[in-house]
Amino acid sequence: MENINCLRCGHSMSYLKEYRFDSQDNNRGLFSAMFDVEEHLIFEVYVCPCCRHSEFFYKGALQRID
């Protein structure tokens, strides 16, 4: 992503890091429940250097067997 402006002050935001966390989907299928397939949601985090406002942008999901 390029040239992301802060929603609060309008200053250009800086990339901070990639953030992943586990989805808490209770409606997994039988296969997913038996083999403990987890879905990790991936976000990119941007922060404004002026007002410290942060934004998370969804980048996709990653599934793996745990």
Side-chain angles (χ1 to χ4, degrees), residues 47-62:
V47 66
C48 177
C50 291
C51 69
R52 309 306 285 166
H53 175 75
S54 60
E55 291 285 336
F56 288 68
F57 294 96
Y58 179 70
K59 297 304 284 184
L62 174 68

Side-chain angles (χ1 to χ4, degrees), residues 3-48:
N3 200 15
I4 299 173
N5 292 330
C6 179
L7 296 175
R8 289 187 182 164
C9 69
H11 193 270
S12 182
M13 297 183 84
S14 301
Y15 176 78
L16 181 62
K17 67 178 180 176
E18 181 178 274
Y19 182 73
R20 296 180 184 201
F21 68 94
D22 298 336
S23 171
Q24 300 296 319
D25 187 8
N26 291 331
N27 297 322
R28 296 187 299 179
L30 180 61
F31 176 80
S32 296
M34 287 176 51
F35 293 102
D36 197 21
V37 175
E38 294 183 354
E39 182 180 34
H40 299 276
L41 303 177
I42 303 168
F43 292 85
E44 285 187 349
V45 182
Y46 286 81
V47 66
C48 177

